[in-house]
Amino acid sequence: MRLTFYGHAAFLLETEGTRIIFDPYRSPDSGGYRPIDEPADIVVCSHENDRYHSHLGQIVPPFEVIRGPEIAEDGLRVRGIRFQAVPVYETPERLPGDEVTIVHLRSEGLHLAHLGDLGHLLTEAELTPIRRAEVVLVPAGGVPTLALESMVELLGQIGPRVVIPMHYKTAGINLAIEPVERFLEAVESLGWPVLETGGSTFEVSRERLPAVPTIVRLEPCR
């Protein structure tokens, strides 16, 4: 399983011969990230936000689209990969109009969860489907997604082996969110090591999972 961080909440996942792009932004309207002008087999959108999370117009077709809010409770299987969604909200108040999803999948013996724009702690019913997910892509910029202190609590509840920060402040995004350094300071209390890759790509397999939960810092490639 190979992950490439485009920027903001956008990733390319290459697994089982399939190219899956998560949460594509719209360039340059997101603030300066270059377009995701690559082919995909599947594009996953955790929710509808054409500027930051669901822009399809710059990806090279053809591809199938999976929209998190439309995934049925029992999930769906596309190209042999099972996708599921946990309905959540972008804000703690859980107001109508704030609906987003956590999209998670299983492939190559690994369970991966993209937390999207999650903005609150999870109930037991919401947490159960992603507990022990080995790879978690986590919004690390604080409010308006989950506050950093609460994100530390949530990671402890999930119990992942690989945590990859996303959705944080860079020169390529025009949102008022925190830089990844604030997230790294917040998770120091967990005592988890930080792997500074110096690049935008990380490969992981069941056999190569770190022995202890590890924060893997990737650099945006766009």
Side-chain angles (χ1 to χ4, degrees):
M1 180 179 289
R2 177 184 173 97
L3 279 155
T4 300
F5 183 34
Y6 288 126
H8 197 48
F11 288 84
L12 169 65
L13 170 63
E14 297 171 278
T15 181
E16 298 184 9
T18 299
R19 291 172 58 88
I20 304 168
I21 292 179
F22 285 90
D23 276 24
Y25 52 77
R26 186 175 72 224
S27 172
D29 300 325
S30 60
Y33 282 126
R34 292 182 289 112
I36 303 172
D37 52 359
E38 297 183 0
D41 299 304
I42 301 170
V43 178
V44 178
C45 304
S46 65
H47 63 290
E48 293 300 319
N49 183 321
D50 186 63
R51 179 173 289 183
Y52 298 114
H53 293 272
S54 62
H55 184 67
L56 306 176
Q58 294 170 318
I59 301 170
V60 178
F63 49 81
E64 299 182 67
V65 180
I66 296 175
R67 302 182 187 277
E70 298 176 2
I71 298 176
E73 186 174 352
D74 59 350
L76 78 163
R77 190 173 295 274
V78 180
R79 290 180 172 253
I81 299 171
R82 187 182 181 207
F83 294 82
Q84 294 176 277
V86 181
V88 291
Y89 293 82
E90 189 172 2
T91 57
E93 295 80 14
R94 299 177 178 240
L95 298 175
D98 289 340
E99 296 91 345
V100 295
T101 61
I102 296 169
V103 177
H104 58 115
L105 62 86
R106 289 171 171 81
S107 180
E108 299 184 32
L110 295 171
H111 186 185
L112 178 146
H114 185 294
L115 299 191
D117 261 4
L118 175 65
H120 55 81
L121 288 169
L122 301 179
T123 65
E124 184 61 28
E126 293 165 340
L127 177 63
T128 296
I130 62 168
R131 183 175 270 124
R132 304 297 178 208
E134 289 88 3
V135 182
V136 177
L137 312 180
V138 54
V143 177
T145 56
L146 188 59
L148 295 180
E149 306 79 26
S150 297
M151 185 57 71
V152 172
E153 180 180 349
L154 178 61
L155 288 174
Q157 293 171 342
I158 296 173
R161 300 282 288 279
V162 173
V163 174
I164 302 181
M166 63 175 185
H167 201 288
Y168 53 80
K169 186 67 176 178
T170 70
I173 199 69
N174 58 7
L175 296 173
I177 50 181
E178 297 291 334
V180 70
E181 286 77 14
R182 301 292 84 78
F183 170 78
L184 297 178
E185 291 168 2
V187 296
E188 283 181 357
S189 61
L190 295 173
W192 294 355
V194 177
L195 174 61
E196 299 275 1
T197 66
S200 58
T201 297
F202 181 72
E203 294 190 26
V204 62
S205 65
R206 188 82 201 173
E207 296 73 27
R208 295 169 57 190
L209 282 170
V212 298
T214 300
I215 312 294
V216 177
R217 180 177 176 179
L218 299 179
E219 299 295 331
C221 69
R222 286 295 193 271

